[in-house]
Amino acid sequence: MLPVEIGTRRLLLDLPVPADADAVTRYCQDPLFERYLTTPWPYTSSDAEAFLSGYVPAGWASEAELTWAIRAERGGLLLGMISVREAQHEIGFWMGDEHRGAGYMSEAADAVCAWVLAGGVPGATTVFWRAVEGNLGSAKVARSAGFRRIEPDDATVPTRDGGTLPAWYGVRESEPDPRAEASWNGILGARA
Ligand SMILES: CC(C)(COP(=O)(O)OP(=O)(O)OC[C@H]1O[C@@H](n2cnc3c(N)ncnc32)[C@H](O)[C@@H]1OP(=O)(O)O)[C@@H](O)C(=O)NCCC(=O)NCCS
């Protein structure tokens, strides 16, 4: 598939490019990434270059993983990254430290899910989310992006060293589920 751009109210999601390497390197050195993501640790500029020049374009070409840069405008600074994997249409994301708390990831995740479910990924009827148990920021994004929490037995997420950790799971369906918002109350409490 050729890379696709998605516009939202405040954001442009487009192809991550080699010129984003410095920003990716800096953002991915955040200690939260060691705890919650499977990105290399410690993270170096070579990791960013391999990701942007190899992994991202290969993922679009094979459709194994579609990855977008999150920006405020065309050609603008990279704010964060979001992707959808072919396997289970699983969404993954991170936002650069200084850009958090503005609702950007909720806006980006909602837009990517809407695109996937509107035929962007042919045949997709659900988008899947999971995070290491305790990742409240990620769970709040999932809630805001219309996911419903699900609690399968043995819910786990892979770690970078090949192990697994207990995980929270969620699913977003083509038709918004009226029980979605309340399904998060057990871990996030009711929204103020
Ligand atoms: C999770 C993450 C992507 C959120 O990005 P963001 O742009 O700040 O998200 P939003 O501004 O849309 O915030 C969504 C909600 O999460 C809350 N939030 C954001 N980061 C948080 C954190 N670290 N801890 C607790 N709450 C957090 C916001 O206050 C907001 O709350 P609300 O829904 O009650 O309004 C960002 O914190 C991040 O990159 N974390 C490290 C990487 C990571 O864990 N990725 C997900 C892996 S599954």
Side-chain angles (χ1 to χ4, degrees):
M1 181 187 304
L2 290 173
V4 171
E5 287 189 3
I6 301 175
T8 74
R9 188 169 66 82
R10 296 178 294 172
L11 303 169
L12 175 71
L13 313 185
D14 68 2
L15 185 68
V17 290
D20 295 318
D22 286 351
V24 171
T25 305
R26 191 161 48 83
Y27 295 146
C28 290
Q29 290 175 2
D30 180 334
L32 273 186
F33 287 33
E34 180 182 16
R35 186 161 160 204
Y36 289 140
L37 300 182
T38 54
T39 44
W41 191 267
Y43 199 92
T44 67
S45 55
S46 318
D47 294 319
E49 282 152 21
F51 172 70
L52 293 164
S53 306
Y55 188 87
V56 169
W60 277 99
S62 67
E63 301 181 12
E65 184 161 4
L66 314 180
T67 305
W68 288 267
I70 302 173
R71 309 183 200 276
E73 63 203 350
R74 191 175 304 281
L77 174 73
L78 177 82
L79 306 178
M81 204 71 78
I82 186 163
S83 78
V84 177
R85 292 194 174 155
E86 189 177 35
Q88 294 190 280
H89 308 132
E90 181 173 355
I91 193 169
F93 45 74
W94 55 257
M95 181 59 65
D97 184 22
E98 64 261 38
H99 306 295
R100 293 182 192 149
Y104 286 153
M105 193 54 80
S106 301
E107 190 171 321
D110 180 49
V112 167
C113 290
W115 177 81
V116 168
L117 296 170
V121 174
T125 54
T126 56
V127 180
F128 179 62
W129 164 91
R130 62 183 164 167
V132 175
E133 227 175 70
N135 190 346
L136 293 171
S138 187
K140 287 178 181 172
V141 169
R143 176 176 66 180
S144 292
F147 283 77
R148 177 171 56 84
R149 187 174 171 225
I150 53 175
E151 297 181 75
D153 294 336
D154 300 324
T156 58
V157 68
T159 58
R160 70 172 57 75
D161 62 4
T164 56
L165 282 172
W168 288 332
Y169 280 36
V171 66
R172 175 161 155 171
E173 283 119 348
S174 304
E175 287 299 314
D177 188 315
R179 296 164 302 171
E181 173 81 20
S183 70
W184 299 95
N185 290 358
I187 56 171
L188 297 179
R191 207 197 284 263

